[in-house]
């Protein structure tokens, strides 16, 4: 700890991202990146935007990008907010909608940025225990709180809930904001966007990082009642009005508009996920039902850390958490068919040895 750090951050434990190796070449199945390149139309749009106009600030309102999202989702542009990745938007939302004297509630096993945000912004939180099957403890998220955050599908489990469950949360928490983090929704789950017109307390957050193969571009967006969107704008414009750069706006808009390529990517990932799930189960793994671009798996005879280290030695990276509830589980991103074949072969070798 540095003596010049503020008291506010001295005890903060920051979010730990998945390993990005530089020392050797690995098959990266640890950060839920898309295994396929972005749409060619995205590259064309970025190249077209990379001209003399880079000397100028980008559009702070992201009108072109927000219009593309609104058109696709059947919303008004006033119901869409864009930012530098969904993580930034979530950070804005925690500041805009949650108060210091009320608990923010979310499941105990979920995206590990949520507790980081509450600590960083000085918020109170309540992490409710999961059901024995790792499904979300919905009843414990209903009522007597200062806001709800639900990843749907959940990370790292991959389990999704239906719209009736989201509606239950909205109805049980009418006076606070319910954030539904849909980073992985395009791989088999149902988006809550269609509920926005009925529930002014619903904020849906999505990203280009997964199903549109643009993790390197850092673009996310939120959708909700215009009042919520204005709250996000208030926070943004109090920090940095120009959060999405000119190239990112152009590339993301092209990705949103290329529906054919979007469908190609997500269908291919889902097909590989189903095949990999069957193969893992055939090797003695328990695999949770996933509607994301990853699988959460555990083997009855082998500790998760042993499998993690063994795979790394064989050139395959997966994600593991040193937490009692999930210490024997691995989160495995879905790669290409060839990459998943290498994973299965490496696991077979580990099990034999």
């Amino acid at each position: 700890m540095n003596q010049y750090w503020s008291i506010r951050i001295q005890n903060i434990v920051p979010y730990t991202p998945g390993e990005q190796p530089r020392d050797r070449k690995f098959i990266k199945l640890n950060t839920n990146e898309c295994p396929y390149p972005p749409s060619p139309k995205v590259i064309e749009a970025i190249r077209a935007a990379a001209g003399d106009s880079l000397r100028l600030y980008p559009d702070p309102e992201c009108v072109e990008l927000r219009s593309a999202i609104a058109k696709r989702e059947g919303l008004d542009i006033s119901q869409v907010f864009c930012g530098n990745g969904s993580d930034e938007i979530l950070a804005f939302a925690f500041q805009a909608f949650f108060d210091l004297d009320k608990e923010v509630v979310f499941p105990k096993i979920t995206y590990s940025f949520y507790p980081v945000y509450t600590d960083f912004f000085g918020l109170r939180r309540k992490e409710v225990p999961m059901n024995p099957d790792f499904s979300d403890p919905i009843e414990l998220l209903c009522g007597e709180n200062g806001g709800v955050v639900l990843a749907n599908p959940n990370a790292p489990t991959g389990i999704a809930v239906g719209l009736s469950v989201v509606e239950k949360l909205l109805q049980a928490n009418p006076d606070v904001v319910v954030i539904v983090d849909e980073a992985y929704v395009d791989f088999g789950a149902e988006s809550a966007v269609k509920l926005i017109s009925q529930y002014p307390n619903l904020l849906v957050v999505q990203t280009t990082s997964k199903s549109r193969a643009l993790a390197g571009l850092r673009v996310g967006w939120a959708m909700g009642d215009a009042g919520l969107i204005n709250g996000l704008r208030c926070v943004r414009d109090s920090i940095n009005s120009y959060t999405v750069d000119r190239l990112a706006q152009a590339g993301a808009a092209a990705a949103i508009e290329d529906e054919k390529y979007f469908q190609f990517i997500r269908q291919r990932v889902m097909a590989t996920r189903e095949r990999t799930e069957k193969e893992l189960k055939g090797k003695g793994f328990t695999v949770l039902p996933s509607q994301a671009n990853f699988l959460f798996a555990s083997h009855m005879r082998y500790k998760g850390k042993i499998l993690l280290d063994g795979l790394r030695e064989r050139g395959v990276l997966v994600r593991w958490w040193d937490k009692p509830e999930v210490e024997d589980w691995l989160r495995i991103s879905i790669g290409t068919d060839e990459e998943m074949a290498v994973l299965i072969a490496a696991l077979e070798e580990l099990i034999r040895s």
Side-chain angles (χ1 to χ4, degrees):
M1 182 180 69
N2 191 293
Q3 63 175 320
Y4 299 111
W5 286 16
S6 72
I7 293 176
R8 183 170 57 86
I9 72 165
Q10 286 180 5
N11 296 315
I12 295 290
V13 179
Y15 173 76
T16 303
E19 180 183 1
Q20 298 284 0
R22 294 181 177 87
D23 57 333
R24 56 177 281 199
K25 187 174 181 179
F26 288 91
I27 291 177
K28 286 185 79 272
L29 305 179
N30 65 326
T31 50
N32 299 339
E33 295 152 319
C34 182
Y36 305 109
S39 162
K41 294 181 179 179
V42 170
I43 307 303
E44 292 174 11
I46 293 174
R47 285 174 176 160
D52 179 68
S53 61
L54 287 179
R55 65 188 175 83
L56 304 173
Y57 284 112
D59 174 13
E61 296 299 331
C62 303
V63 170
E64 179 186 1
L65 176 54
R66 289 168 59 218
S67 296
I69 295 167
K71 180 179 178 181
R72 184 180 188 275
E73 301 293 348
L75 299 172
D76 186 82
I77 189 173
S78 66
Q79 297 173 296
V80 182
F81 176 92
C82 293
N84 184 31
S86 59
D87 288 338
E88 179 185 74
I89 292 174
L90 288 166
F92 287 171
F94 273 61
Q95 295 172 83
F97 308 125
F98 301 147
D99 290 320
L100 300 180
D101 61 341
K102 298 178 181 178
E103 286 183 332
V104 182
V105 297
F106 45 81
K108 188 172 184 179
I109 303 300
T110 190
Y111 187 28
S112 51
F113 234 136
Y114 303 158
V116 173
Y117 290 144
T118 57
D119 287 345
F120 186 77
F121 297 125
L123 300 169
R124 295 169 56 200
R125 70 172 182 266
K126 182 178 181 180
E127 299 175 72
V128 298
M130 309 300 287
N131 294 326
D133 61 356
F134 283 106
S135 60
D136 288 316
I138 298 301
E139 296 294 336
L140 299 179
L141 301 175
C142 292
E144 297 184 4
N145 61 70
V148 180
V149 187
L150 181 74
N152 190 37
N154 193 23
T157 66
I159 298 174
V161 300
L163 284 189
S164 62
V165 173
V166 176
E167 262 198 292
K168 181 177 181 178
L169 284 176
L170 291 163
Q171 292 168 356
N173 301 284
D175 299 322
V176 298
V177 173
V178 175
I179 299 174
V180 181
D181 182 356
E182 295 187 345
Y184 303 101
V185 74
D186 295 322
F187 300 103
E190 189 174 8
S191 175
V193 169
K194 62 186 66 175
L195 299 177
I196 287 173
S197 62
Q198 303 172 56
Y199 298 97
N201 61 326
L202 169 63
L203 189 77
V204 178
V205 181
Q206 295 187 5
T207 178
T208 60
S209 294
K210 316 302 179 184
S211 57
R212 290 178 174 83
L214 290 174
L217 212 58
R218 310 307 303 130
V219 177
W221 60 93
M223 296 169 284
D225 181 82
L228 297 185
I229 299 305
N230 286 335
L232 293 174
R233 292 176 62 190
C234 179
V235 173
R236 179 198 65 192
D237 293 344
S238 300
I239 299 171
N240 173 18
S241 294
Y242 302 101
T243 56
V244 186
D245 70 66
R246 187 177 296 274
L247 303 185
Q249 289 187 40
I256 297 297
E257 291 167 351
D258 194 348
E259 185 71 17
K260 182 178 180 180
Y261 193 81
F262 161 75
Q263 294 294 342
F264 162 74
I265 281 185
R266 75 184 200 93
Q267 294 293 341
R268 195 167 181 182
V269 169
M270 287 191 290
T272 303
R273 180 189 69 203
E274 301 309 312
R275 286 194 295 272
T276 304
E277 179 182 352
K278 291 179 182 178
E279 292 189 72
L280 288 172
K281 288 180 176 178
K283 307 299 178 191
F285 281 85
T286 297
V287 184
L288 298 186
S290 174
Q291 290 182 284
N293 67 338
F294 57 83
L295 294 168
F296 204 49
S298 174
H299 199 285
M300 65 180 73
R301 300 206 316 265
Y302 301 97
K303 295 291 185 182
K305 185 64 163 60
I306 290 175
L307 294 174
L308 173 84
D309 293 340
L311 286 172
R312 196 181 195 284
E313 290 172 5
R314 291 160 176 79
V316 180
L317 298 180
V318 296
R319 196 75 191 269
W320 173 80
W321 285 269
D322 187 12
K323 296 181 178 180
E325 300 89 347
V326 294
E327 63 183 358
D328 288 330
W329 293 79
L330 301 177
R331 192 196 67 191
I332 304 168
S333 303
I334 301 302
T336 64
D337 289 335
E338 294 77 15
E339 289 172 334
M340 303 315 285
V342 173
L343 165 77
I344 296 300
L347 287 171
E348 285 180 343
E349 183 179 325
L350 270 170
I351 292 170
R352 284 198 306 268
S353 63

